[in-house]
Amino acid sequence: MFCFCRRVWRAGRAYVEEGLLKIVVLVKLVPSSEARIRIAADGRSIDPADVELLASAYDEYAVEAALQLKEKFGGEVVAISAGPDKAAEMLRKSCLALGVDRAVLVRDPALDRTDTLGTARALAAACRRETPDLILCGKLAIDQENAAVGPQVAALLDLPHVSVVSNLEPSSESAFVVHREIEGGMEEIEVSLPAVLTANKGMNEPRYASLKGIMTAKKKPLDTVDLAALGLDAQAVAPKAILVSLKTPPVRADQGIIIQGESAAAKVAELVRLLFEEAKAL
Ligand SMILES: Cc1cc2nc3c(=O)[nH]c(=O)nc-3n(C[C@H](O)[C@H](O)[C@H](O)COP(=O)(O)OP(=O)(O)OC[C@H]3O[C@@H](n4cnc5c(N)ncnc54)[C@H](O)[C@@H]3O)c2cc1C
């Protein structure tokens, strides 16, 4: 059987330990893509009232990839999220219930208004404690879409990084071959471990939780840590890119028209007339 050599970082050096793969998956709590978004009174955040919160869609591909690797090669999968208390529920439902072994919630008031770099600093510190062989993230969080946190975590940990990965396979005991779709083609990249990869849509088919999985998840370890426990303070995550305001798109002045008519033919005739005479599109 294929066997990974696990690296443990001590004093900046990598030590080979045992033949198991340890994977960290970074999972963000976001509003459901079907939620009706309202801006909160502060004008800078989303009003969480009545909004369903879920794991970000691309993170689900990352979780699935981690679970498939664990099933194939053995090892451990740890999910980490930085977010509000509600993220704990998401970690149980969308990670532990699916087969993730442990979860860590980084919860600290100083993170509530941080920027991507502050978020990445907290997540990188949480990853450092785990000494993983592989860190998987989504290519972007579906709410704020910065596509920044994965590469920033890689830079902070001085690890190689490949973004928008659609397929990954081990190529040796210390490297993966990954594929990424580019305009009109596909790139194949070999990346040595430990590494950070960001997952693209289509990487796999995320599984659903079984009843047994949901029951087991209740007993799995879920630790909550604050910045101090990670060796950080509020200053370390103070935002340098300040979110000034958040606005929903303006309501379209031109709401479109519904063409009336006795028959399909009459409606088509009216559509053609409008395209010619009013829109001057033909
Ligand atoms: C109240 C509030 C105030 C904010 N103020 C600011 C501000 O002043 N300046 C500013 O720049 N931004 C601000 N933000 C945005 C916030 O910092 C970003 O959501 C965060 O930095 C991550 O960026 P992103 O969501 O675009 O993630 P991306 O970079 O798109 O995320 C990519 C991937 O990284 C991982 N990831 C990202 N975030 C997390 C997380 N929290 N936990 C686990 N994994 C994660 C996931 O795998 C995700 O798929 C604010 C957000 C809120 C809710």
Side-chain angles (χ1 to χ4, degrees), residues 25-30 42 44-46 56-59 62 80-84 90 106 111-120 123 136-153 198-199 239-244:
V25 193
L26 302 179
V27 187
K28 187 183 177 195
L29 182 75
V30 298
D42 66 2
R44 297 176 45 192
S45 57
I46 292 168
S56 182
Y58 292 101
D59 304 356
I80 301 180
S81 188
M90 175 277 289
V106 185
L111 288 171
D112 290 348
R113 292 201 176 276
T114 190
D115 56 7
T116 58
L117 190 55
T119 305
L123 292 171
L136 293 171
C137 323
K139 75 168 179 183
L140 54 78
I142 61 160
D143 56 348
Q144 274 145 337
E145 300 190 341
N146 283 292
V149 170
Q152 286 172 336
V153 166
T198 73
K240 295 192 174 65
I242 311 286
L243 179 62
V244 179

Side-chain angles (χ1 to χ4, degrees), residues 16-243:
V16 173
E17 212 179 42
E18 65 216 53
L20 290 175
L21 190 63
K22 182 165 178 181
I23 307 171
V24 162
V25 193
L26 302 179
V27 187
K28 187 183 177 195
L29 182 75
V30 298
S32 155
S33 55
E34 282 161 28
R36 191 176 282 268
I37 300 296
R38 286 183 307 269
I39 310 294
D42 66 2
R44 297 176 45 192
S45 57
I46 292 168
D47 181 353
D50 305 325
V51 172
E52 190 189 4
L53 297 166
L54 306 165
S56 182
Y58 292 101
D59 304 356
E60 291 181 351
Y61 297 112
V63 170
E64 179 61 34
L67 293 175
Q68 288 185 12
L69 286 168
K70 182 188 142 178
E71 283 159 5
K72 240 169 155 177
F73 305 110
E76 187 186 23
V77 180
V78 182
I80 301 180
S81 188
D85 292 334
K86 279 187 179 164
E89 205 180 302
M90 175 277 289
L91 284 167
R92 286 221 188 268
K93 236 167 90 182
S94 304
C95 300
L96 299 177
L98 301 183
V100 168
D101 300 288
R102 283 191 296 118
V104 178
L105 171 63
V106 185
R107 178 81 196 102
D108 196 291
L111 288 171
D112 290 348
R113 292 201 176 276
T114 190
D115 56 7
T116 58
L117 190 55
T119 305
R121 283 211 173 99
L123 292 171
C127 287
R128 201 176 278 119
R129 293 191 336 159
E130 299 290 343
T131 64
D133 304 288
L134 185 62
I135 299 172
L136 293 171
C137 323
K139 75 168 179 183
L140 54 78
I142 61 160
D143 56 348
Q144 274 145 337
E145 300 190 341
N146 283 292
V149 170
Q152 286 172 336
V153 166
L156 290 163
L157 296 175
D158 196 21
L159 295 181
H161 157 255
V162 184
S163 62
V164 198
V165 169
S166 53
N167 186 40
L168 68 163
E169 277 296 327
S171 58
S172 75
E173 75 277 6
S174 59
F176 268 67
V177 164
V178 304
H179 293 107
R180 55 194 306 275
E181 280 170 38
I182 53 168
E183 187 69 36
M186 178 76 82
E187 274 184 355
E188 185 176 288
I189 296 173
E190 183 161 61
V191 58
S192 62
L193 302 184
V196 179
L197 307 178
T198 73
N200 197 9
K201 192 176 171 181
M203 183 185 240
N204 48 47
E205 190 72 41
R207 66 191 68 186
Y208 292 100
S210 63
L211 190 57
K212 186 170 168 241
I214 294 167
M215 299 312 287
T216 320
K218 291 182 183 164
K219 295 192 188 116
K220 287 187 177 174
L222 195 164
D223 295 334
T224 301
V225 293
D226 59 11
L227 288 177
L230 299 175
L232 299 172
D233 57 17
Q235 190 56 36
V237 300
K240 295 192 174 65
I242 311 286
L243 179 62

